[in-house]
Amino acid sequence: DRLVYEMKDQVIARLDVEAALGTLTAKQRACVLLAAEGYTYREIAQQLGVSLATIQGHLAAAQKRLRSILFEA
């Protein structure tokens, strides 16, 4: 029974994260997903054809948004 509850909690958490990711802009979401795959900021900037500063801005905004949705709600 405990395993079922743990799995349920994991599924709910995953759905929460997916919903939160859906609130990001397309560029923010792309940056977050590429960073999660292990790409460096510089590699993400090259892939998306934007500056490193732009990537840093997208990720900072995404982090702020995700934190507010997932942890401060």
Side-chain angles (χ1 to χ4, degrees), residues 52-69:
L52 182 59
T54 298
I55 296 304
Q56 291 168 328
H58 286 323
L59 286 170
Q63 182 182 39
K64 181 178 179 181
R65 177 88 174 146
L66 293 174
R67 184 175 286 136
S68 73
I69 292 170

Side-chain angles (χ1 to χ4, degrees), residues 5 8-9 11 16-17 22-23 27 31-32 45 54 59 67 71:
Y5 286 112
K8 178 183 170 192
D9 289 343
V11 169
D16 288 347
V17 170
T23 69
K27 290 284 188 179
C31 291
V32 168
T54 298
L59 286 170
R67 184 175 286 136
F71 300 112

Side-chain angles (χ1 to χ4, degrees), residues 30-42:
C31 291
V32 168
L33 295 176
L34 288 169
E37 289 180 21
Y39 289 92
T40 66
Y41 287 11
R42 195 170 307 283

Side-chain angles (χ1 to χ4, degrees), residues 11-25 29 33 65-66 69-70:
V11 169
I12 291 170
R14 181 178 175 103
L15 292 174
D16 288 347
V17 170
E18 288 178 4
L21 286 171
T23 69
L24 301 177
T25 68
R29 191 169 41 256
L33 295 176
R65 177 88 174 146
L66 293 174
I69 292 170
L70 295 171

